[in-house]
Amino acid sequence: MGSVTSTTTWVYDFSEGNKDQKDLLGGKGANLAEMTNLGLPVPPGFTITTDACRHYLEHGSTPPDLAGQVTEHLTALEKAMGKTLGDPADPLLVSVRSGAAASMPGMMETVLNVGLNDESVQGLAAQSGSERFAWDSYRRLIQMFGRTVLGIDGEAFEHALDEAKREQGTDLDLDLDAEHLRDVVGRFKAIVREHTGRDFPQDPREQMDLAINAVFDSWNSPRAILYRRRERIPGDAGTAVNVCSMVFGNLGADSGTGVAFTRDPGSGEQGVYGDYLQNAQGEDVVAGIRNTVPLTELERIDRGAYDELLRIMSTLESHYRDLCDIEFTVERGKLWMLQTRVGKRTAAAAFRIATQLVDEGLIDTDEAVRRVTGDQLAQLMFPRFVSGGDATRLTQGMNASPGAAVGKAVFSSETAVQWADRGEKVVLVRRETNPDDLAGMIAAEGVLTSRGGKTSHAAVVARGMGKTCVCGAEELQVDTTNRRFTAPGGVTVEEGDVISIDGSTGLVWLGEVPVEDSAVVRYFEGEIGPDSPEADDLVRSVHRILTHADEVRRLDVRTNADTPEDSARARRFGARGIGLCRTEHMFLGDRRQLVEKLILAETDEDKQAALDALAPLQKQDFVEIFEAMDGLPVTVRLLDPPLHEFLPDLTDLSVRVAVAEAQGHPDEANLRLLAAVRRLHEQNPMLGLRGVRLGLVVPGLFAMQVRAIAEAACERRSAGGDPRPEIMIPLVGAVQELEAIREESEQVLAAVFEECGVELDVLIGTMIEVPRAALTAEEIARSAEFFSFGTNDLTQMTWGFSRDDVEAAFFHAYLDKGIFGVSPFESLDRPGVGRLVEVGVQGGRAARPDLKLGVCGEHGGDPDSVHFFHEVGLDYVSCSPFRVPVARLEAGRAALGGERAGS
Ligand code: PEP
Ligand code: MG
């Protein structure tokens, strides 16, 4: 920070700021200012800026002129209130609250009732007419101040309070009368003396200054630091401090406190939503001391306050042009607004509200697109449980990976695989999972664990697979040895019993809960027309918003698909072509034998025979995919993974060979196979013989694939279709690799087209997925007509993270420690991997201005990453079929400058 001049304004009255000054005044301060300027009843006060906090954190002391400015504002506040801070006869009391620009709920500190001391407590008693209230307020101050400002362990106060209650034979705070509370204050003061060696400060201004510094300090509390790391909130932003005159909801039956929403945050419907607690302060609501009543009850309790609240809610809605949430207090019949902000809402409500606001003329359709997010859309696409059926609720665990799964409980990975193979639906139940459970997780409809949090192995892996998962259901006693679990109440679930788990709520049931497909997915599938009677307002909202996103977006959206079914579905979901057709999936199943033959072939004839057997199968795959994507580009990637992936496992095979030998009849075929497996075995297969390297060392392999593509295209053309194949070479690191394959491919294409008498323009391009390719993109582009960034491998190779291992092995620890807030395999690491993408884009376009640029790694369907790809100027993103609508929406939002983090 530069030198501090006497002109720096560190303190703003609530009447001086506005809602757009969040960076300076924090979210709470900016909105208090906005409400003050709207003429709403906000208790007067002032905000100390985040600049002052940053100064304090940097220099270890407040700016020299801060105290003077605080004095000026305090004097004005005292004048406005007609009271003096801590006045013995009639004290002004203030709250000192944190409020950063980004919401950090519960992470920083607050001190209430500042200004009370041994004398002013008497004044408060006289003014309020309640001794009990005054002493209770005083003990709350010492407790909060002692913990927050003086750093005394909160337990010391809790113990003392419990002791006082025990002496009175009660465990309720409310049973303590004024005398008892006066006694508690005495005990609390003794605790302060004992722990700090000094008395609780009696000077009200000293209390206030110390509380302000404590709020500044709380910016750097360990939990706040961790929260910021996870949420990617800059660590140097600092918090503002709001000093606000206290109003009391606990002065009797004509007082109270509540929260309200201007619309239902669950459904989006307009109406009166919220809770009210009579004769209470905000912290009592949080502590759940008594049950709240629905806000509509306030109409009966205090008609005047209720009507005014409704008027204010309507003012706020039309002013903020959005759903607002509100905290308020009624002090002896007078309504006070303590806070407002644009409120959180469910995914369905976000879509509904956005279109409602368009219809009400409060926002335009561009703004409606900005108001929803791809994550919210994704949530609307999961199947849901519907009420009904006779399932019994067993427990609630953590909602680790959304979706609804029903199946027979199984307790081992092997059983999951066996039962699934015979067509049964299963839910894998484990105490916790480890990498050995992977096969079972794949086979199961969903995964349930009794231990571990949202970053446990089960949670991380299930989310990665898009599989429903409930984890940490601690009430369940899972007994894998006896293959059963016990739920609270003694219900025992044996292997084979049907259970239902809801990954969106964490609920677990015994029995089958009916599952309903998402109406939004049925709309994307074309089963529900947007104007049909079946389309509810949610479907209509999604339709309107996505239609507009499509109109405004610059990025094209393609899909990653390698079957005709996936291609067709992605097309229905709005994909305009295939950005990645992985051909290795076509070499599995029955065809694995043919690949094995290719690898084992010792003569050219054997090799050719194996290739000849594969070629027609490959061709048929492409014919069907070109048909599904007729008229749209289909990027076919030539074989990528190491060959040993098509061979049996080394250990399994060694055992089989050894057993056969021991039994005296060695198996020749298996012996040869074992030799090949050994020959091809690699310590680091991901960095070994794969991608373009395979094409270069296994002659004929890529040529066979290119021929199959070309012949399939010719067949489609002859049938009157419009095939648009593009050939993509994986794992290129040097232009020479690409040149060699390109030359071979061009020859094959020319030969086939001549044979068929067809002329087709087939682009040949490469993936950019090795850092060297990004760094030498300019050279590579001379030989490539398109680039597709393979950000899965690019992430793996940039970080040196084995993509098959690290997420399950230690990412939960990295996430827990806040090293990163989200896996770089999930959301693009902009400064690292993103930098390489930028370098690749610049190099590529320098050599070839019309170079077509796309991305086909998993990040192509990740909302935040889509914004990045828009910003760096790619032409398209490609993602799995289910992410296509998400990518369409986020591409639209990126074009409109919408932030990634929605409401
Ligand atoms: C990539 O690496 O980003 C990619 C799309 O290829 P694969 O995931 O098949 O390695
Ligand atoms: Mg790759």
Side-chain angles (χ1 to χ4, degrees), residues 43-188:
F46 53 87
T47 303
I48 301 166
T49 64
T50 54
D51 283 345
C53 178
R54 282 195 293 273
H55 181 287
Y56 174 85
L57 295 175
E58 200 173 316
H59 297 85
S61 61
T62 51
D65 47 350
L66 177 65
Q69 294 188 18
V70 168
T71 303
E72 265 171 46
H73 284 267
L74 179 60
T75 309
L77 178 61
E78 290 175 334
K79 213 162 145 208
M81 300 297 289
K83 295 180 184 191
T84 311
L85 184 70
D87 181 348
D90 182 11
L92 167 69
L93 304 183
V94 296
S95 61
V96 178
R97 292 176 195 266
S98 60
S103 161
M104 295 173 52
M107 290 299 134
M108 290 176 300
E109 299 295 358
T110 284
V111 186
L112 303 179
N113 303 338
V114 169
L116 276 177
N117 56 24
D118 294 351
E119 290 181 349
S120 63
V121 67
Q122 311 281 359
L124 183 65
Q127 291 298 325
S128 64
S130 168
E131 287 262 338
R132 184 189 186 282
F133 162 74
W135 285 103
D136 192 39
S137 302
Y138 193 19
R139 75 95 191 153
R140 286 177 198 247
L141 168 65
I142 303 173
Q143 191 168 355
M144 267 189 259
F145 193 94
R147 205 174 45 75
T148 304
V149 182
L150 304 175
I152 301 169
D153 188 345
E155 295 229 327
F157 297 107
E158 292 295 339
H159 280 152
L161 190 61
D162 286 346
E163 209 172 82
K165 284 189 273 191
R166 210 170 26 249
E167 285 165 16
Q168 300 313 317
T170 179
D171 49 13
L172 293 179
D173 289 11
L174 285 176
D175 286 340
L176 298 179
D177 65 17
E179 253 335 287
H180 303 140
L181 288 164
R182 184 203 293 265
D183 174 51
V184 170
V185 164
R187 296 182 197 203
F188 279 11

Side-chain angles (χ1 to χ4, degrees), residues 570-626:
R571 192 169 189 165
R572 292 195 294 277
F573 281 20
R576 305 295 297 156
I578 290 182
L580 173 64
C581 173
R582 289 181 166 103
T583 53
E584 53 269 23
H585 295 174
M586 303 168 175
F587 283 44
L588 297 173
D590 298 344
R591 303 183 192 176
R592 197 170 159 142
Q593 301 282 322
L594 299 174
V595 183
E596 227 173 74
K597 283 203 176 121
L598 175 68
I599 299 169
L600 296 177
E602 278 166 8
T603 65
D604 285 352
E605 292 83 67
D606 286 353
K607 189 164 279 174
Q608 196 53 49
L611 287 170
D612 288 348
L614 276 168
L617 302 170
Q618 272 272 272
K619 178 180 157 190
Q620 195 49 35
D621 295 325
F622 297 137
V623 167
E624 290 171 25
I625 289 172
F626 293 156

Side-chain angles (χ1 to χ4, degrees), residues 813-828:
Y814 265 44
L815 292 163
D816 282 348
K817 289 185 193 306
I819 310 283
F820 35 62
V822 55
S823 157
F825 287 110
E826 206 177 299
S827 191
L828 193 85

Side-chain angles (χ1 to χ4, degrees), residues 406-586:
V406 180
K408 292 183 174 169
V410 291
F411 293 84
S412 73
S413 185
E414 296 77 45
T415 317
V417 172
Q418 280 164 14
W419 290 27
D421 277 352
R422 60 181 201 227
E424 308 234 39
K425 291 192 164 159
V426 297
V427 174
L428 178 63
V429 186
R430 306 282 293 156
R431 255 196 295 271
E432 55 206 337
T433 60
N434 62 47
D436 292 340
D437 291 313
L438 212 57
M441 293 178 75
I442 293 169
E445 301 296 307
V447 182
L448 168 64
T449 69
S450 60
R451 295 176 47 183
K454 283 197 180 176
T455 54
S456 62
H457 175 267
V460 172
V461 175
R463 272 200 300 279
M465 294 178 187
K467 187 136 299 195
T468 303
C469 175
V470 172
C471 67
E474 288 177 350
E475 290 180 331
L476 302 182
Q477 303 292 327
V478 177
D479 177 355
T480 46
T481 319
N482 292 306
R483 302 182 165 267
R484 61 170 168 242
F485 72 78
T486 317
V491 185
T492 299
V493 176
E494 306 280 349
E495 188 151 84
D497 291 346
V498 172
I499 58 171
S500 303
I501 61 170
D502 186 339
S504 310
T505 61
L507 287 169
V508 181
W509 291 271
L510 174 59
E512 179 172 346
V513 180
V515 177
E516 176 184 75
D517 274 348
S518 142
V520 171
V521 168
R522 294 182 60 214
Y523 152 70
F524 287 133
E525 286 284 12
E527 291 167 20
I528 301 180
D531 301 318
S532 73
E534 262 192 280
D536 62 7
D537 56 345
L538 176 59
V539 166
R540 284 197 300 273
S541 300
V542 168
H543 171 72
R544 282 171 68 181
I545 289 179
L546 272 213
T547 305
H548 193 65
D550 288 340
E551 280 161 13
V552 297
R553 68 183 156 90
R554 186 189 57 71
L555 278 174
D556 260 344
V557 178
R558 296 194 192 178
T559 192
N560 294 356
D562 39 52
T563 65
E565 295 76 32
D566 272 359
S567 310
R569 160 174 280 157
R571 192 169 189 165
R572 292 195 294 277
F573 281 20
R576 305 295 297 156
I578 290 182
L580 173 64
C581 173
R582 289 181 166 103
T583 53
E584 53 269 23
H585 295 174
M586 303 168 175

Side-chain angles (χ1 to χ4, degrees), residues 342-382:
V342 168
K344 300 238 182 293
R345 65 208 65 188
T346 62
F351 276 84
R352 288 201 183 98
I353 291 172
T355 45
Q356 283 164 6
L357 294 173
V358 173
D359 293 339
E360 289 163 29
L362 285 173
I363 61 172
D364 61 16
T365 320
D366 281 0
E367 181 63 16
V369 172
R370 288 189 206 103
R371 293 270 178 101
V372 294
T373 66
D375 285 335
Q376 288 168 332
L377 181 59
Q379 280 177 38
L380 298 179
M381 293 175 66
F382 288 109

Side-chain angles (χ1 to χ4, degrees), residues 637 640 690 731 767 769 790 792-793 803:
R637 181 180 71 184
D640 183 46
R690 53 177 286 227
L731 221 76
M767 298 191 68
E769 52 184 347
N792 302 335
D793 271 307
R803 51 195 269 209

Side-chain angles (χ1 to χ4, degrees), residues 629-645:
M629 278 291 171
D630 195 61
L632 295 173
V634 174
T635 308
V636 181
R637 181 180 71 184
L638 305 186
L639 198 65
D640 183 46
L643 288 180
H644 73 81
E645 285 201 7

